[in-house]
Amino acid sequence: MLFKHPNLLWALLLLLIPIFIHLFQLRRFKKTPFTNVKILKKVEAQSRKSHSLKKWLLLFTRLLLLTALIVAFAQPFIPGKTALKSNEIVIYLDNSLSTQAKMGTATLLENMVQGILKSIPEEEVFTLFTNDKIFKEVRIGDIKNDLLALPYSNNQLQLKEINLKAKTLFSEAEGTRKDLVLISDFQKSINSPTIDSIPDINRHLVKLTPESLVNISIDTVFINSYSSDNLELKSILSTNTKLDNTPVSLYNGERLIAKTSVTFNNNKKGEVIFTIPANELINGEIVISDSGLNYDNQLYFNLAKQDKIKVLSVGDVDSDYLSRIYNKEVFQYSNLSLKSLNYSLLESQNLIILNELNTIPIALQNALQAFKNAGGSLVVIPSGEVNTENYNPFLMGLSNTLLISSVKEERKISQIAFSHPLYKNVFEKEVTNFQYPSVNSFYSIKSAMPKILSYQSGDPFLVGEDGTYLFTASISKENSNILNSPLIVPTLYNMGMASLKMPEIYEMIGSKTTVDIPVRLTKDRILKVSLKDFEFIPFQQSFTTKTTLTFNDYPEVSGIYNITDEGKTIKNISFNIPREESQLHYMDLDDLNASSKNDDISALFQNIEKDNSINELWKWFVILALAFIFIEVLIQKFLK
């Protein structure tokens, strides 16, 4: 027990006064004159022992009365565990997409918000942050409307990020109680490999879970096969429980163009296939009806007639294999000899192949350097008899590469960099027992570019990065049999595809996305991206033959966006929210360290308030003083 005014307790010394009066009071005798015994005043006989007991009872009663009054004026109180410290509260409110799940008649997020509004006192100052917003040092009335209108966020913070962010929101003052309250459904996806503890901070966990854990998600859609007339779209769906047939609809804009159903296998995966006309403009949306999460019930994509990629090969050797690889449906391929080459054509190309030239004229070297600086892609295939003194200055300026010497011996091409972007989605697994192509001679090189294909000795056959590729040997039939190998087709084909990055049929929000638009912009023109009333300008870099758009922080809402040039739509691009939170797999709070673990927001804040509360006792001492007054009256009246 502590006192608000402890100095008043010195008044307890005054209790010595009545003690002295009772112990040392002087007795004065009264004289009564009389003439005889008849006129004596009758005196009531009184027991000396009874008289003494009454005086002691009155003494103790009055001492206790005065003591109770003095203590009451000193205002005693019993503090909570941390009532004598200043208190700081930081709240993390999880507004991720998984909080769309139902809990009763409302969603998890709505229940979390209502719990906060009902539990925090109006005068309490606190800091609250979500996955994408911060409300610092506010009262509940200041942010009530913001919380009620809080949107769902696809930016799910990890536990480690939550701790680090919360640490920056607490003050550096010492001697204060610091409470960090995490209100979330605690999906497994937010768990970090290592979670740093925060010293001197009490971490409280409040976990709310949905009543139903059934959810169906549209995971992806892609082109399964393609012909001149039709294409097949395959969509993969998943669920977290065993379900029967679920209807799946395909829309083009607002028009329903196909409908089917999906059956899930034992792995809780299902797939559907839609056949639609090829080369038709499709602003597609795949839709399901599901009582679980809402955000993964639709997936947007768009199909459009692609602009042809311009490929130019320069050389006098046979290039029929190039014309077969770069087909007319996707590419605009042309082949020119060195003598007939018009240098003004170079800047309009996307990919240029130097096909086994012995020397590269200086004028062509300068034009190719400008072409590369403008964002073009270049493939260099040397002949069997190159002039290294002519090649090396060009390669050195282009890619910090040198041809060292010619090696006249047969080598097999047996090593493939499967992780290289050229071979993305080419191999289902790392193949080690295919029929290796070989070369009869090659050039040893010194290069900082990564290896793509290598000989069994480890020397590189193909190196490249950032749109620059160099073969270290002639691939003509006289020197190599690689033209008969299936390996050459995806290698050269993907070089062409990478020279003009086509937009995928959809992109994921939150990941860095680059798209090449075959539009050459003047200095004052910019491309804009819009969806209904929302419009923004992405980061863009203009080259001679294209403009590269980079998406990172925006957009934040899924849908089909229009890319416009001076108000005219030139292309559509679809964005969807990642599906990581669709499985509804939750953490066990017993695996986390915390000061308390709760399933009710109100109960937690009541405990925090109790720890910070002060129980005042002065009223009880006033009541006690009145009781002693009543006891004294009883003693005076009834004790004779």
Side-chain angles (χ1 to χ4, degrees), residues 100 216-218 285-288 293-300 558 575-577 579:
Q100 292 179 351
I216 305 174
S217 169
I218 306 174
E285 180 183 3
I286 300 176
V287 180
I288 61 173
L293 304 181
N294 293 325
Y295 83 96
D296 56 8
N297 290 349
Q298 56 277 326
L299 190 142
Y300 299 93
S558 59
F575 285 93
N576 291 287
I577 296 172
R579 268 40 180 176

Side-chain angles (χ1 to χ4, degrees), residues 556-608:
E556 297 178 337
V557 178
S558 59
I560 300 176
Y561 288 76
N562 300 321
I563 300 176
T564 59
D565 178 18
E566 296 183 335
K568 181 181 178 182
T569 300
I570 57 176
K571 191 175 287 292
N572 293 327
I573 182 170
S574 297
F575 285 93
N576 291 287
I577 296 172
R579 268 40 180 176
E580 282 83 359
E581 297 187 58
S582 296
Q583 297 303 313
L584 301 183
H585 293 159
Y586 299 103
M587 299 172 57
D588 186 353
L589 293 190
D590 292 336
D591 298 333
L592 298 177
N593 295 323
S595 301
S596 68
K597 299 167 185 178
N598 312 267
D599 56 7
D600 184 80
I601 299 175
S602 299
L604 169 63
F605 280 98
Q606 286 175 4
N607 292 334
I608 293 177

Side-chain angles (χ1 to χ4, degrees), residues 262-481:
V262 59
T263 301
F264 297 96
N265 57 27
N266 293 331
N267 295 325
K268 301 176 183 179
K269 293 287 186 179
E271 61 181 42
V272 293
I273 295 178
F274 299 101
T275 301
I276 58 178
N279 295 322
E280 181 178 337
L281 179 63
I282 301 290
N283 291 323
E285 180 183 3
I286 300 176
V287 180
I288 61 173
S289 179
D290 172 36
S291 60
L293 304 181
N294 293 325
Y295 83 96
D296 56 8
N297 290 349
Q298 56 277 326
L299 190 142
Y300 299 93
F301 67 94
N302 59 277
L303 300 172
K305 187 176 181 179
Q306 301 293 349
D307 298 295
K308 291 187 177 182
I309 301 173
K310 298 179 180 179
V311 179
L312 171 65
S313 67
V314 180
D316 298 322
V317 298
D318 182 18
S319 61
D320 288 343
Y321 69 95
L322 292 175
S323 62
R324 292 192 297 270
I325 292 174
Y326 298 119
N327 57 76
K328 294 181 179 181
E329 292 183 356
V330 181
F331 300 93
Q332 182 180 324
Y333 172 75
S334 58
N335 176 62
L336 294 174
S337 65
L338 186 59
K339 294 181 180 180
S340 61
L341 177 63
N342 183 354
Y343 290 178
S344 62
L345 295 175
L346 300 182
E347 65 178 16
S348 63
Q349 304 300 311
N350 300 115
L351 174 66
I352 296 177
I353 301 173
L354 299 183
N355 194 6
E356 308 209 15
L357 300 179
N358 293 332
T359 60
I360 306 174
I362 299 300
L364 179 57
Q365 292 184 23
N366 294 334
L368 290 174
Q369 189 65 57
F371 169 75
K372 276 296 299 174
N373 293 338
S377 296
L378 179 65
V379 178
V380 179
I381 306 174
S383 68
E385 299 177 355
V386 301
N387 184 338
T388 56
E389 293 181 357
N390 172 264
Y391 260 72
N392 280 339
F394 172 65
L395 295 177
M396 193 66 185
L398 190 68
S399 58
N400 198 24
T401 299
L402 291 174
L403 300 180
I404 299 177
S405 62
S406 176
V407 179
K408 302 291 186 180
E409 64 179 62
E410 183 179 355
R411 292 283 178 90
K412 289 186 179 295
I413 304 167
S414 60
Q415 299 180 29
I416 304 174
F418 293 100
S419 61
H420 195 276
L422 275 184
Y423 299 126
K424 182 181 180 181
N425 300 325
V426 172
F427 300 97
E428 293 184 358
K429 58 182 180 179
E430 295 189 8
V431 182
T432 58
N433 58 351
F434 66 96
Q435 186 174 359
Y436 303 123
S438 61
V439 299
N440 298 324
S441 64
F442 66 96
Y443 295 95
S444 61
I445 67 169
K446 180 181 180 181
S447 177
M449 291 193 293
K451 301 176 185 178
I452 301 175
L453 296 173
S454 303
Y455 306 112
Q456 60 194 45
S457 62
D459 295 318
F461 170 70
L462 173 63
V463 295
E465 66 179 348
D466 298 332
T468 301
Y469 307 95
L470 171 66
F471 288 86
T472 63
S474 167
I475 62 174
S476 63
K477 294 180 180 180
E478 291 77 13
N479 187 60
S480 172
N481 63 353

Side-chain angles (χ1 to χ4, degrees), residues 251-265:
Y251 288 84
N252 182 10
E254 297 181 354
R255 181 169 60 92
L256 178 65
I257 60 175
K259 192 168 186 177
T260 184
S261 62
V262 59
T263 301
F264 297 96
N265 57 27

Side-chain angles (χ1 to χ4, degrees), residues 1-16 66-77 618 621:
M1 185 171 67
L2 301 176
F3 297 89
K4 188 174 182 181
H5 305 293
N7 291 334
L8 292 179
L9 296 178
W10 288 103
L12 293 174
L13 295 176
L14 298 177
L15 298 178
L16 296 174
L66 292 174
T67 301
L69 290 174
I70 292 171
V71 173
F73 278 104
Q75 296 190 22
F77 63 91
W618 66 269
F621 281 92

